[in-house]
Amino acid sequence: MDQTSNTEDFIRQLAEHQNRLYGYVYSLVGDHSRAADVVQETNLVLWRKIEEFQSDKPFLPWAFAIARFQVLAHLRDRKRERMLLDASLVETLSAEAEEQASQIDSVREALRLCLQRLEPDHRELIERRYFRSMSVADVAEALNRTVGAVKVALLRVRRQLAGCVQKRLAAES
């Protein structure tokens, strides 16, 4: 891969994973302002290490590792302030957050497949409520149903989806 393509792929990966990187850092520092600062520093470090980026390897574990070091550096720099976390707790939380992040892709893929298997009227219900962010009342009005009927239908479809996702994840492991 030439340097331009590698740089473009790096930028695409970095942009695609900003929310997950922010969520990871926020889970470790517990403050939006600090998380934003650490993510900004993490982005700079990632950019400086672009030569180490390998487009054929997963981006997120590499970015999480750098973010973890940035969180630890942030905590060291703030020693005079009241410490909420120490380094060992950050390491523990970090490992747990990284493991959960790796499972998100599996859950997302299982959910995508389960959504495809829904009956069309159930899929429409889910799409209106969660993809278009319609209120239950608006969904009920659009489908000419009562609010109570929509709530019950959503509950049943969510249970169906949860069962389907659990079965798919169990089959994977």
Side-chain angles (χ1 to χ4, degrees):
M1 179 179 283
D2 65 58
Q3 187 174 357
T4 302
S5 295
N6 196 48
T7 300
E8 288 175 357
D9 194 37
F10 171 83
I11 292 170
R12 185 182 57 74
Q13 294 276 344
L14 184 62
E16 182 179 320
H17 294 293
Q18 278 299 286
N19 288 340
R20 292 176 77 179
L21 195 56
Y22 179 84
Y24 172 77
V25 170
Y26 179 78
S27 73
L28 297 175
V29 298
D31 178 90
H32 289 291
S33 177
R34 288 182 178 181
D37 291 345
V38 172
V39 168
Q40 186 176 12
E41 285 299 316
T42 301
N43 288 336
L44 287 173
V45 172
L46 287 168
W47 180 253
R48 289 181 194 129
K49 294 182 176 273
I50 192 169
E51 291 84 25
E52 297 175 17
F53 171 68
Q54 297 175 348
S55 61
D56 59 334
K57 293 190 175 177
F59 178 81
L60 214 46
W62 178 57
F64 279 174
I66 290 173
R68 184 176 60 247
F69 287 121
Q70 291 305 307
V71 167
L72 291 171
H74 176 78
L75 292 175
R76 277 192 306 268
D77 293 345
R78 303 222 181 243
K79 276 184 177 177
R80 291 185 185 161
E81 295 181 18
R82 186 175 144 222
M83 295 272 296
L84 297 176
L85 302 173
D86 65 4
S88 65
L89 183 56
V90 168
E91 291 288 343
T92 301
L93 292 173
S94 172
E96 196 168 307
E98 287 176 32
E99 183 179 325
Q100 288 177 354
S102 69
Q103 294 173 347
I104 287 175
D105 290 334
S106 297
V107 171
R108 184 179 294 158
E109 179 61 18
L111 180 59
R112 187 183 65 75
L113 294 172
C114 291
L115 283 168
Q116 291 174 350
R117 294 182 59 201
L118 286 176
E119 296 293 322
D121 58 326
H122 290 166
R123 191 172 34 247
E124 181 182 1
L125 193 62
I126 293 294
E127 285 176 1
R128 285 179 186 265
R129 178 68 181 109
Y130 298 108
F131 296 139
R132 297 184 208 162
S133 300
M134 292 175 67
S135 70
V136 172
D138 289 342
V139 172
E141 184 178 331
L143 299 176
N144 198 24
R145 296 168 78 175
T146 65
V147 168
V150 169
K151 285 181 178 178
V152 169
L154 282 170
L155 178 65
R156 289 181 181 152
V157 175
R158 284 193 306 258
R159 284 183 180 160
Q160 181 183 353
L161 285 172
C164 177
V165 168
Q166 287 174 346
K167 284 180 187 172
R168 287 193 172 275
L169 293 176
E172 284 181 12
S173 57

